[in-house]
Each structure stands twice: as structure tokens, then as C-alpha cells.
Amino acid sequence: MGQVEVTADVVSVGKSNELRMHYLRAGSGPLIVLLHGWPQTSHCWRYLIPELATTHTVIAPDLRGYGRTDKPESGYDKRTMAADVATLVEKLGFSRAIVVSHDRGARVAHRWALDRPDQVERLVIMDVLPTCEMVRRIDFASTTGYWHWWFHLQPELPERLVGNDVAGYLGFLFEKWTHNRHGLPQSAIDEYVRAFSAPGALRAGFSDYRASFPTDFDDDDASAKAGIRLKMPLLLLWGAEGILQKEPVVDIWRDYAIDIRGEAIPQCGHFLAEEQPAEVLQRLRAFFDDAAIRPFQVHVPQEDLDDLRRRLRATRWPDKETVADRSQGVQLAHVQELVREWATNYDWRKIEAKLNSLPQFMTRIDGVDIHFILVRSRHPNAMPLLVTHGWPGSVIEQLGLIDPLTDPVAHGGRAEDAFDVVIPSLPGFGFSGKPTDTGWDCERIARAWAELMKRIGYTRYVAQGGDWGSAITTAMARQKAAGLLGIHVNLPATFPADVFEAVVAGQAAPPGLSGEEKAAFDALSGVFAKRFGYYTMMATHPQAIGYALTDSPVGLAAWVYDFNDAEAQRLLTKQTVLDDLSLYWLTNTATPSARIYWEDKAAAFSSGAQKTAEISIPVAVTVFPGEVYRAPKSWAQRAYPTLTYFHEVDEGGHFAAWEQPALFSAELRAAFRTLRG
């Protein structure tokens, strides 16, 4: 195995340490576990181990009943075999692993990932379908690739027929299941023949198959019916000339996993790691790199900027509004003034340079590239802070927070109030990737953010959010994201369920509200009655409005400028607004960003819909006077049982971090001060 030292050892596993499991080990670093199939042993990974061990610790066990591992009478269901491997990993001192699996080993890996998702970081499955899907698809009369299943399921028959000629049977299988029937090297076949000629080896191998139905079938089927799907990234590989060559492999697995990618290996049969090891390694490396954190810089092509300016100058304008106020939407004169600035004086390269002056990164989570800014404070013991934007915001919205939070001394604060600041772009926003599947609601984004903070290396942190960021941050708290100490939101979900229902129905305020509560009711009722059209459109037909926003920069500008009673026009500088608009335009994210409204129907203002009572960590709320509504303290205390900080300030609106970065930063310092230490 080249220059890499490979050692062999045995560890006792099983419920009572009754099973001695043999394994190969090489390399150092994060753990990769290799799980073989039938009729093989850990020897099948001989080409992959030396390469993978240059960057990882590699463990390749012989599964229960295989190779040099013990061959007990029972325990061949995949739940027991998965527990064997999980115990091995724990006894070797590891808590998480990347798992690469094939054939029967892939069934073990699938069950391991379902039962212990905390242990399986990434999963590779080669040339196999879920057990219940495989059983459903077996047509023994016409599907030659699956005939061995029927044969191996028979009691005692396979042992009797194969026992007298193990070499002949295995040799036939290896020839039958490889590309163009070239077979494997004779030395490899000899190794497997020796392994399966050992006492009890054939019985153990066939017992592995016999456990597939009904035990493994029922386990997989129950998980699928309960909606339990793999959440870790899953890579599917299969031989282009193998037994799955005619199956829609990726589509079949979509009912069992969330983050899937797959590819057929050319000129390959069933035994991928032995037939085409270089091709397999290439795809494994690319898959592993998805978890890496990669530096990122913004470089917009000049032709994109030229095209934007050309479109702005060619605008076909509508007639002037027929009223003297904003009741029909943002006025023509205001939009024309903004667009004139955009087409003549605006310089995208300034904000591009500002972004590139900051540490920016990209990493792939749940199948989507996530862009984020990470600025670490120079002060020791800085508290990590995750800040999440909303719509129509972006990471540009929070740029003004970075200096005051990371260097509080330079802004009138104390060194012990310093933060490390993490600002991600939401999926479908800015420089993050655009999801190609459904399901990217606040709950899923919250899980992705927890993975992001873990991937960066933070084990204790706090989180802040406004607009959609508030709902996402709330979801993280409700999900009990590992390491999350507390949250701060500036668009809190405080409306009691009955009061919110009255708002939605357009009814009068319920009796018994205080003056502050009645003011909040009236404010939100006004939003629903007069300024909620954008929400309804994007929540029901984001694709329809997306055509206009994607084709017309002026349409995009008016759509954003009109938000929250034209708050951007009233309270933000033109330069700031144009930075944000240009980001949406140049990344072509008007449509994918709008889909978050379609994905997440949970009412952002309702404490019941946001399930705030389930939060058990400290919650802080700052109320800004220009927000959609001013949350009454009485409602906040009722909505958040763990409320530890509530403060009403005199300035700022919905885009408070944009409009009042110094004040906003001071609020975060005060809100999280008690959580330090």
C-alpha cells in the first residue's frame, strides 16, 4: 500500500463486547470509515487507503461475519452491524466520521447514519439502493443483476451448493459484475476465496442477506414512512456498466435523503473501488472539499456592469401616479431620481473593494454554497456572534456593525465587549448558492447556520437577526443549536395568537389591550391592509414576479424602494440603497431570494407560529421606533419566557443595523454582556 503505513488490529464490540472486530488503520487527521460489501473484505479498499490516508485517518473494518472478524450465529441485521461500527469508532476515540461504503456495507452505513446522525458527517454510498427499494424492484424472472438475492435468502441451500466450490462461485460473480467481464486481479479473488473458505464464513455472509428481508426491509420502510431522511451530505456512485445502470439512482434516493448528488462511474461494473479507483478517488476528493471553507473574493465582470447601465438608460417609464402621496406605491419622481444616480454616478467597484477588504469565505452546506464574512476581533476572548439579514437586505446591511463590534475600544466601548462577527448570505441571496430543491424554510436555514458555526470552529456563540433573520435566529434557539448561548432579535414575534388572528382577518382589536398593545395592533393592521402586497405576491407566486425583477433593474429598484412604506427611500442614502440593489441585480438573486416567502409560511409576528415558548436560552429584544410595529414589553415577556433584555430606543427602523450601526452595536453589547465568561 505505497508509503503509507497500514496497521491491523482487533477491538471488541457488540452489546457485551462479545465480537472481536478486525480493522485496518492508516494516516492521521479527520476520520474516514470504509465499509466493504459482499463477497469482499476490507482488502477491497487497498487502492484507496494510501491516498485517503495522506489527509485523513482511515479505518477499514471487516464487518461482522466477514474476513478476520468473528462470525457469530446472529446479529446480521443492519442495526446491529451499524452499532458494531459505531462502537469501534467510539473506542478508537473519534466522535464523527466521513463514511464511504459499498454494497452490503452501504446498507450498514445507511442504518448507521439514520440511527446515529451525530456520528456520520458525510456519507458515500456505492452501487446500492435502500433495502426496501431494492426488494421492491427485484424481478427474479427478468432481472439478472439481482438473482443472487433470491439465492442467498434461501435457508441452507447456498451453503450446500457453494461450499464445495467457493473459488468457482466467487470467480463467476466477480466476472459477471465487472465491466466487460474483465474480472478482478486473481490475487484479489484469491484473498476473498480464502476469507470465505474459513469456517462459518459462508453462513455469515448469507446470514447478512437473510437479515435483509424482512428485518432490514421493515426498518428502512418504517423510517421512510415516518419521513425520516438523511440530513448529512450524500454522494451516490454507481457503475455505468453495473447492476444499477438502468435505475434512476438519485431519484430513488430522494425519498431517503435531503442533500444528494450522484454520478455513474464510466467503464465500471459493481466493484467501483477496485475497478476504477482513480475515478472514485477523484469524486471523493471533490465531495470532501465541499466541507472545506474556501476563501472568496467578489469580481463582477465589466460587461455585466455595462449591461446594467444600458438597461437603466433604456427604461420604459410608466405614467405618473394619480395621487399626491405614496398610497399607490413609491412615486415616479423618486424612482427616476434613484435610477438617474444608478445609471450615471454610481460606482459598484467601491462596494466591491469594501467587501474584498474583509475576510470572505464560501462553504457548501446541505447542497448549497454558503457565502459568509468572518471578521475576528484582535481582543482576546471575543464572543462569536452570528448576524443574519433578511429581505430585501444582504450582508451589505450589516457592514457598519463590523468595526464597532470587533473593535469596541475604538468606538467608545470596552475590550471585554468585543465580538468575532460572522455574517452569512442567506441561501438564494447575494453570493450564496441558489437552492435547486424546495424546503429551504427558516428551520432548514437554522440548521445550516448551526453547521456553519460548528464548521468554523465555534463551540459557544450568540446569534442576532432581523426580518427573516429574526425568524431564523428564533428557529436556532428553538432547535437548541449546539453551542448557542443566547439570541437577540429586532423584529420579535410577540403577537398573541388571538390578537394576530384578528389582524389577519381585518377585525377590530380584541378588548382589554393596553395603550401600547393597541398601538402595536393598529400598526400591524395598517401594514396588512395597505403595505402587504409584496409579501402576498412573493409568498404565492415568486416565480411570476421574478420575471419582472430579473429582467428590469428599474422594476427591481421600485419593488425594493417601496418596501415598508418606502423606508429605504426615507431613511437610507442612495449610495447604500444602490449597493444593495446592485448586489441583487449582479448576482441574479431577485427570484431565488423571493422564494423564502413561498417556502416559509409561519407568521413572523406571531409568538404561536414561531413557537417562542419552546425557547430555553436567554432572549434579548430591542424595539426600534420605525419598525413594522413596536413590540410591547408585556407581549415580549409573555412570548419569551426567558427574556433577559428588553430595550426601546429612540432611533432606527426596520433596517436598524443599516441606519443606526453605532446604536445597534451598543444594543448587542448590552444584550449579551451577561452571557460572557
Side-chain angles (χ1 to χ4, degrees):
M1 294 193 178
Q3 302 301 312
V4 174
E5 180 182 4
V6 180
T7 60
D9 205 346
V10 174
V11 165
S12 294
V13 299
K15 293 182 180 179
S16 304
N17 290 327
E18 77 283 0
L19 184 81
R20 293 174 303 166
M21 176 168 273
H22 172 269
Y23 66 93
L24 303 177
R25 178 171 183 164
S28 62
L31 180 62
I32 295 176
V33 175
L34 306 175
L35 301 180
H36 65 82
W38 191 95
Q40 297 165 295
T41 66
S42 57
H43 182 74
C44 73
W45 304 112
R46 62 193 177 279
Y47 299 127
L48 269 58
I49 290 176
E51 295 297 328
L52 296 176
T54 60
T55 54
H56 290 75
T57 298
V58 180
I59 300 295
D62 287 333
L63 295 172
R64 174 182 288 249
Y66 288 79
R68 294 174 175 82
T69 292
D70 287 349
K71 300 163 181 60
E73 293 292 329
S74 61
Y76 293 97
D77 61 281
K78 297 306 162 286
R79 180 165 271 119
T80 299
M81 295 177 75
D84 293 342
V85 182
T87 302
L88 172 67
V89 167
E90 291 171 348
K91 288 198 169 187
L92 294 179
F94 294 92
S95 59
R96 286 170 66 80
I98 296 171
V99 182
V100 179
S101 60
H102 174 245
D103 190 79
R104 310 299 298 172
R107 304 192 187 289
V108 174
H110 183 207
R111 177 45 54 187
W112 182 15
L114 287 171
D115 291 349
R116 297 289 301 273
D118 57 312
Q119 275 194 336
V120 180
E121 181 178 342
R122 291 179 160 253
L123 179 58
V124 180
I125 285 180
M126 290 194 274
D127 219 55
V128 77
L129 300 177
T131 300
C132 54
E133 295 292 340
M134 185 71 90
V135 171
R136 290 189 183 107
R137 281 167 169 74
I138 294 178
D139 180 352
F140 299 115
S142 61
T143 310
T144 58
Y146 302 147
W147 63 268
H148 65 291
W149 268 61
W150 176 87
F151 178 54
H152 293 178
L153 288 173
Q154 307 310 307
E156 298 186 7
L157 178 65
E159 290 95 318
R160 292 180 178 232
L161 295 180
V162 176
N164 293 327
D165 190 9
V166 175
Y169 183 59
L170 296 192
F172 168 75
L173 291 181
F174 285 122
E175 178 184 343
K176 182 78 172 176
W177 291 342
T178 51
H179 172 61
N180 288 338
R181 300 195 176 189
H182 289 163
L184 300 184
Q186 189 59 46
S187 59
I189 296 176
D190 291 344
E191 172 68 25
Y192 301 136
V193 169
R194 281 193 295 271
F196 283 93
S197 297
L202 278 180
R203 174 192 51 76
F206 297 139
S207 295
D208 182 2
Y209 274 87
R210 289 165 190 153
S212 298
F213 191 83
T215 306
D216 296 338
F217 175 94
D218 290 344
D219 279 351
D220 280 5
D221 196 44
S223 296
K225 288 178 178 177
I228 301 172
R229 297 196 292 168
L230 299 175
K231 294 183 175 63
M232 69 287 296
L234 171 62
L235 173 64
L236 303 171
L237 298 176
W238 63 95
E241 309 297 330
I243 59 177
L244 299 184
Q245 59 179 290
K246 296 182 180 179
E247 298 283 6
V249 178
V250 174
D251 289 341
I252 291 170
W253 271 99
R254 288 198 191 284
D255 289 336
Y256 300 86
I258 294 172
D259 180 4
I260 307 176
R261 71 214 70 178
E263 185 178 355
I265 302 297
Q267 297 184 331
C268 191
H270 180 60
F271 303 100
L272 287 74
E274 294 185 273
E275 294 182 64
Q276 294 288 355
E279 295 286 337
V280 171
L281 278 166
Q282 179 184 5
R283 286 148 180 88
L284 292 182
R285 289 294 187 196
F287 182 56
F288 299 163
D289 285 346
D290 280 354
I293 293 177
R294 313 182 301 276
F296 177 81
Q297 290 266 285
V298 181
H299 298 290
V300 172
Q302 184 59 43
E303 53 263 36
D304 290 356
L305 299 175
D306 294 340
D307 176 69
L308 170 59
R309 189 154 288 174
R310 178 188 61 78
R311 288 171 180 262
L312 291 168
R313 289 171 175 166
T315 299
R316 182 186 182 192
W317 293 101
D319 295 337
K320 183 179 181 296
E321 64 279 355
T322 58
V323 293
D325 55 23
R326 291 190 295 268
S327 60
Q328 292 182 348
V330 64
Q331 293 116 313
L332 177 64
H334 292 307
V335 178
Q336 287 180 325
E337 182 182 359
L338 179 70
V339 170
R340 187 162 46 250
E341 180 70 16
W342 202 3
T344 56
N345 299 321
Y346 175 73
D347 184 2
W348 162 261
R349 298 301 183 193
K350 290 182 179 179
I351 188 63
E352 183 177 86
K354 185 172 184 177
L355 288 168
N356 288 338
S357 71
L358 299 168
Q360 297 179 89
F361 303 92
M362 195 78 76
T363 191
R364 191 172 181 85
I365 299 176
D366 200 358
V368 174
D369 280 335
I370 300 299
H371 163 262
F372 64 98
I373 297 169
L374 169 59
V375 181
R376 300 182 190 271
S377 174
R378 63 184 176 87
H379 297 293
N381 303 316
M383 174 179 280
L385 168 65
L386 173 68
V387 184
T388 305
H389 67 83
W391 187 96
S394 65
V395 294
I396 293 173
E397 185 179 347
Q398 287 102 8
L399 293 183
L401 301 178
I402 293 174
D403 284 346
L405 292 176
T406 59
D407 191 6
V409 174
H411 296 266
R414 306 176 303 169
E416 52 265 37
D417 289 330
F419 292 91
D420 288 353
V421 179
V422 181
I423 308 174
S425 296
L426 292 173
F429 288 69
F431 302 110
S432 281
K434 303 166 186 175
T436 57
D437 62 340
T438 58
W440 278 97
D441 58 6
C442 291
E443 298 288 326
R444 187 170 176 182
I445 297 172
R447 291 191 293 270
W449 273 198
E451 172 62 25
L452 173 63
M453 295 303 278
K454 179 173 64 177
R455 195 170 291 183
I456 293 171
Y458 290 130
T459 57
R460 290 167 56 85
Y461 64 95
V462 292
Q464 194 286 325
D467 193 83
W468 283 110
S470 178
I472 293 162
T473 303
T474 298
M476 292 183 71
R478 193 174 58 251
Q479 293 171 3
K480 298 178 173 58
L484 182 60
L485 303 176
I487 65 170
H488 174 276
V489 292
N490 55 294
L491 183 59
T494 65
F495 265 78
D498 60 326
V499 181
F500 184 72
E501 288 172 5
V503 170
V504 175
Q507 298 172 351
L513 299 183
S514 69
E516 287 185 338
E517 293 167 351
K518 178 62 164 57
F521 177 90
D522 290 342
L524 195 60
S525 294
V527 169
F528 271 66
K530 298 179 180 180
R531 304 200 301 272
F532 219 51
Y534 80 96
Y535 184 101
T536 302
M537 187 66 193
M538 293 194 290
T540 56
H541 290 87
Q543 191 71 20
I545 188 62
Y547 296 116
L549 303 182
T550 300
D551 187 62
S552 170
V554 173
L556 175 64
W559 191 249
V560 170
Y561 224 26
D562 191 58
F563 176 76
N564 196 29
D565 196 22
E567 180 174 336
Q569 176 224 319
R570 293 183 289 110
L571 299 178
L572 294 174
T573 67
K574 288 185 177 62
Q575 176 70 34
T576 302
V577 174
L578 292 175
D579 286 341
D580 192 56
L581 286 173
S582 297
L583 178 61
Y584 274 81
W585 178 264
L586 296 169
T587 56
N588 194 15
T589 50
T591 303
S593 64
R595 291 192 186 113
I596 192 171
Y597 289 85
W598 184 88
E599 290 283 4
D600 201 299
K601 301 297 195 299
F605 309 106
S606 168
S607 59
Q610 294 298 317
K611 302 177 184 177
T612 56
E614 297 179 11
I615 298 175
S616 59
I617 60 174
V619 176
V621 171
T622 299
V623 178
F624 292 89
E627 185 51 275
V628 173
Y629 82 100
R630 297 191 190 189
K633 187 173 184 178
S634 58
W635 285 356
Q637 290 173 324
R638 192 189 317 174
Y640 301 100
T642 55
L643 185 71
T644 57
Y645 181 89
F646 182 92
H647 191 211
E648 297 181 63
V649 295
D650 297 329
E651 297 178 281
H654 186 73
F655 302 112
W658 238 342
E659 299 159 9
Q660 300 292 334
L663 175 60
F664 200 95
S665 298
E667 282 298 297
L668 294 183
R669 293 191 205 110
F672 293 127
R673 188 164 288 142
T674 60
L675 299 181
R676 294 181 181 272

